[in-house]
Amino acid sequence: MNNLKKVRKYRKLKMILLCLLCLLVTACSNQFAKQEYDSDEKIAQDTDRYAKENSVANSVNGEYSLTVSKFNGRETLWKETIKENKDIEIDFDLSLLKGQAKIVYIDSEDHVTTLIECLPDTSTDGFVTKTLSLKSGNNRLKIVGYDCENIDLKMLFAEP
């Protein structure tokens, strides 16, 4: 009788460990990032969803830089609430070793506009200038990507 209890406990323990292993493997998946890459509805949400490794971001005097060794998902890089519509120029320099990434602008009405998109063979060669027409209310810039490795992003903000 005692051996039967041990066998049942052992089976329960094996099942629990198997379930935990499945959960762990599922949680590490980047499939969500690829599926949601083109979803304006998901990108426009206030919440971010991402997984990244070895990330360093700096923002000083209108200059923003980001380096990330691995990235999947979407993350807000810049957010500003303005009272009146205005134009702003932003210079972008974006490169990566692997994957696909883009920088998007989300206006106060949650419209998503892709400003720059990058694959390993289409990295920018120096800065690309974009003029944004910011609307009154919340304005955001996000990075969106999947399977990304060695992202290097620089943004320079200037009002025209």
Side-chain angles (χ1 to χ4, degrees):
M1 189 73 170
N2 211 5
N3 283 338
L4 185 58
K5 285 183 180 181
K6 285 182 182 180
V7 169
R8 286 182 182 164
K9 282 184 179 182
Y10 181 68
R11 284 184 186 165
K12 279 186 180 179
L13 182 61
K14 281 180 24 180
M15 288 301 295
I16 290 171
L17 290 175
L18 182 61
C19 289
L20 287 174
L21 181 62
C22 289
L23 183 62
L24 179 65
V25 170
T26 303
C28 294
S29 172
N30 68 343
Q31 194 62 28
F32 80 93
K34 192 170 187 175
Q35 290 172 347
E36 298 173 358
Y37 184 80
D38 292 313
S39 172
D40 287 353
E41 181 182 337
K42 294 284 188 181
I43 293 169
Q45 292 176 346
D46 283 333
T47 56
D48 292 337
R49 182 178 182 194
Y50 59 88
K52 64 182 178 178
E53 292 179 17
N54 301 325
S55 173
V56 177
N58 290 307
S59 181
V60 178
N61 297 330
E63 296 182 22
Y64 180 88
S65 66
L66 173 71
T67 57
V68 183
S69 65
K70 291 187 179 186
F71 181 82
N72 286 289
R74 56 190 182 277
E75 179 181 14
T76 302
L77 302 174
W78 173 85
K79 187 175 188 175
E80 186 171 330
T81 302
I82 61 169
K83 293 183 181 189
E84 295 180 10
N85 296 354
K86 70 177 181 179
D87 289 342
I88 187 171
E89 283 187 357
I90 306 174
D91 295 327
F92 294 94
D93 185 8
L94 177 62
S95 64
L96 51 77
L97 183 64
K98 182 182 173 212
Q100 186 167 349
K102 60 185 175 183
I103 306 300
V104 298
Y105 165 63
I106 304 150
D107 67 20
S108 58
E109 297 172 355
D110 288 339
H111 295 120
V112 177
T113 304
T114 299
L115 301 175
I116 189 167
E117 192 161 12
C118 184
L119 297 164
D121 56 345
T122 61
S123 296
T124 59
D125 188 21
F127 283 95
V128 174
T129 302
K130 300 287 183 174
T131 301
L132 293 180
S133 297
L134 304 178
K135 294 184 177 183
S136 62
N138 291 325
N139 293 270
R140 297 171 284 154
L141 293 176
K142 283 189 179 187
I143 185 168
V144 180
Y146 64 90
D147 295 334
C148 298
E149 290 184 13
N150 296 338
I151 294 175
D152 187 16
L153 169 67
K154 292 176 186 63
M155 297 187 296
L156 306 173
F157 293 82
E159 292 185 33

